[in-house]
């Protein structure tokens, strides 16, 4: 995130947990604030070493709570059939990266609720522990951190429940609007508008706070700006997806498909197709039938000096499964096949003959056209 390096911490429940370098900044900020001002004010007359150890331990438990919040989202998402690529801690907290969006409002609702619910449970547990410790006559060195952790987890739950996308509360709002209207795009539009409004409100509160001398609130302004821009992006992304679901692949396919004859040598293939053409992948035909796909990587696997005596048919991938589609299916339905590691191209076949070809570059060009023609309103 933000182009900074991230460190893999482990795989709790099989979900990769990463820490972004930007997170270290917040960790030390929290630890330093606790050590130098919060704890010395709340539990006076202790040595600096005591405050430092207490500050570090409390910060670690706080960030552990954040991880539990994110893991709750991820585990509920996974139970609902979504795959979770990783959980990342970064400067604004945590984020669960999903490979896909929830398929129904009910799933989105549960997934979004899981995080704040976990934070509320943690707040309750820390609060209960502090009450218990107080009754048992525990020292302030134990009570104050427990109370702090109860308050911080409670605040985390409440902040995340603000009803603006992409906050958890915004996802909850979207799922409810989605269930009521049956229209995911419209629900996203309103939830992200609400997110933009909340972002702007946070910035306004911060500005008034700073004018009144409370400089800690600058942080709130940065947060507000971040929420606001994510909200705008979320709607654009949703709109693109919904456009892709409406458009048949025949609209964006390259046609007529440029074909590579099976007996062509790799040498000629390189000069006339890869260097001169606009694609890096071509269907290979023999006797009028598509027999495979040839791409630059496969050609490069063959040593250069053998290119003149190697035919395209010899190196072409013969696995056409998943590479063929009819012209009427939507662009969205073939997206996963165009991801790296898949066939990389979709051959559009109509009545047994090749009507065109769709590659990643066709989709990217189309998405850029949508972005130009419809700015966020
Ligand atoms: Zn959350």
């Amino acid at each position: 995130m933000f182009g900074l390096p991230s460190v893999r911490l482990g795989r709790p429940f099989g979900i990769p947990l990463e820490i972004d370098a930007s997170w270290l900044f917040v960790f030390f900020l929290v630890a330093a604030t606790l050590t130098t001002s919060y704890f010395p004010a709340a539990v006076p007359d202790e040595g600096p070493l005591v405050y430092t150890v207490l500050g570090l331990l409390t910060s670690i438990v706080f960030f552990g709570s954040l991880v539990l919040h994110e893991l709750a989202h991820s585990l509920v998402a996974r139970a609902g059939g979504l795959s979770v690529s990783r959980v990342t801690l970064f400067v604004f907290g945590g984020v669960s990266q999903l490979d896909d969006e929830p398929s129904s409002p009910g799933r989105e609702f549960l997934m979004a609720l899981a995080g704040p619910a976990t934070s509320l449970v943690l707040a309750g547990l820390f609060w209960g522990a502090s009450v218990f410790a107080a009754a048992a006559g525990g020292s302030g060195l134990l009570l104050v951190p427990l109370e702090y952790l109860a308050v911080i987890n409670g605040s985390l739950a409440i902040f995340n429940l603000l009803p603006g996308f992409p906050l958890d509360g915004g996802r909850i709002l979207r799922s409810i609007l989605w269930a009521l209207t049956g229209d995911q795009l419209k629900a996203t539009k309103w939830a992200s508008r609400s997110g933009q409004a909340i972002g702007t409100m946070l910035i306004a509160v911060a500005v008034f706070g700073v004018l009144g001398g409370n400089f800690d609130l600058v942080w709130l302004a940065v947060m507000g700006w971040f929420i606001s821009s994510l909200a705008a992006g979320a709607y654009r992304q949703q709109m693109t997806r919904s456009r892709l679901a409406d458009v048949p692949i025949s609209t964006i396919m390259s046609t007529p498909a440029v074909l590579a004859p099976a007996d062509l040598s790799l040498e000629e293939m390189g000069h006339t197709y890869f260097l001169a053409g606009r694609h890096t992948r071509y269907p290979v035909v023999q006797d009028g039938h598509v027999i495979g796909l040839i791409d630059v990587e496969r050609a490069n696997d063959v040593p250069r000096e053998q290119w003149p005596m190697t035919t395209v048919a010899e190196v072409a991938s013969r696995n056409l499964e998943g590479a063929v589609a009819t012209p009427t299916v939507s662009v969205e339905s073939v997206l996963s096949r165009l991801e790296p590691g898949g066939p990389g191209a979709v051959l559009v076949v109509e009545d047994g003959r090749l009507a065109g070809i769709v590659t990643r570059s066709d989709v990217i060009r189309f998405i850029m056209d949508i972005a130009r023609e419809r700015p966020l309103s």
Side-chain angles (χ1 to χ4, degrees):
M1 213 159 282
F2 305 128
L4 291 169
S6 59
V7 180
R8 174 76 56 92
L9 269 198
R11 295 176 64 90
F13 303 98
I15 297 166
L17 173 65
E18 288 181 0
I19 283 187
D20 187 82
S22 66
W23 171 85
L24 286 175
F25 168 73
V26 202
F27 180 82
F28 283 109
L29 196 70
V30 171
T33 309
L34 289 175
T35 300
T36 60
S37 72
Y38 188 86
F39 288 143
V43 207
D45 304 326
E46 298 288 344
L49 182 67
V50 173
Y51 293 132
T52 307
V53 170
L54 211 55
L56 281 175
L57 282 179
T58 310
S59 307
I60 290 170
V61 178
F62 167 42
F63 285 104
S65 310
L66 259 181
V67 171
L68 289 179
H69 173 115
E70 288 309 323
L71 281 177
H73 284 306
S74 294
L75 290 175
V76 172
R78 199 168 65 180
L82 292 174
S83 69
V84 181
S85 53
R86 68 181 78 87
V87 164
T88 310
L89 290 185
F90 73 120
V91 69
F92 292 120
V95 61
S96 304
Q97 275 153 345
L98 305 179
D99 291 337
D100 212 348
E101 287 278 298
S103 57
S104 73
R107 283 193 179 148
E108 169 146 65
F109 181 83
L110 291 176
M111 189 188 98
L113 194 64
T118 303
S119 296
L120 276 181
V121 168
L122 287 170
L125 288 176
F126 285 120
W127 181 75
S130 79
V131 169
F132 183 77
S139 136
L141 291 175
L142 180 62
L143 288 178
V144 169
L146 285 174
E147 280 162 10
Y148 171 82
L149 288 165
V151 169
I152 201 91
N153 273 294
S155 314
L156 197 69
I158 291 166
F159 181 78
N160 274 290
L161 283 171
L162 288 176
F165 206 82
L167 295 171
D168 296 333
R171 282 190 170 271
I172 291 172
L173 174 67
R174 176 170 86 155
S175 69
I176 293 170
L177 292 173
W178 182 8
L180 289 176
T181 62
D183 185 339
Q184 194 190 9
L185 183 61
K186 207 179 271 172
T188 307
K189 182 170 168 176
W190 287 108
S192 54
R193 282 204 173 151
S194 171
Q196 285 175 283
I198 285 171
T200 309
M201 249 156 51
L202 294 179
I203 295 172
V205 169
V207 168
F208 281 112
V210 170
L211 289 177
N214 192 347
F215 288 96
D216 287 352
L217 289 178
V218 169
W219 187 245
L220 203 60
V222 179
M223 193 83 169
W225 167 81
F226 181 69
I227 289 171
S228 193
S229 57
L230 274 190
Y235 178 56
R236 265 196 298 270
Q237 198 185 353
Q238 186 67 38
M239 184 142 82
T240 305
R241 278 195 88 86
S242 102
R243 274 297 295 281
L244 296 184
D246 287 341
V247 172
I249 51 173
S250 57
T251 316
I252 69 160
M253 67 186 182
S254 297
T255 178
V258 183
L259 306 170
D263 56 1
L264 195 72
S265 74
L266 278 188
E267 189 71 19
E268 286 172 277
M269 184 79 211
H271 284 300
T272 51
Y273 288 78
F274 294 141
L275 287 179
R278 67 172 179 173
H279 296 296
T280 54
R281 191 179 313 252
Y282 293 91
V284 179
V285 282
Q286 191 163 38
D287 306 325
H289 294 286
V290 177
I291 59 160
L293 281 168
I294 176 79
D295 58 36
V296 177
E297 291 90 61
R298 281 184 170 266
N300 281 336
D301 285 344
V302 178
R304 206 53 197 254
E305 60 276 10
Q306 290 174 27
W307 277 26
M309 49 276 197
T310 308
T311 66
V312 163
E314 285 172 65
V315 283
S317 154
R318 299 300 182 112
N319 184 8
L320 289 177
E321 197 188 330
V324 176
T326 55
T328 51
V329 301
S330 74
V331 176
E332 198 213 0
S333 70
V334 300
L335 282 184
S336 61
R337 307 190 205 171
L338 298 175
E339 277 160 14
V346 173
L347 303 173
V348 187
V349 175
E350 188 171 31
D351 302 330
R353 78 185 168 80
L354 192 66
I357 183 169
V358 176
T359 62
R360 266 180 93 72
S361 52
D362 294 315
V363 175
I364 290 167
R365 208 174 298 125
F366 180 64
I367 289 175
M368 289 175 66
D369 286 346
I370 299 178
R372 266 195 294 275
E373 92 194 36
R374 281 224 217 161
L376 181 71
S377 57

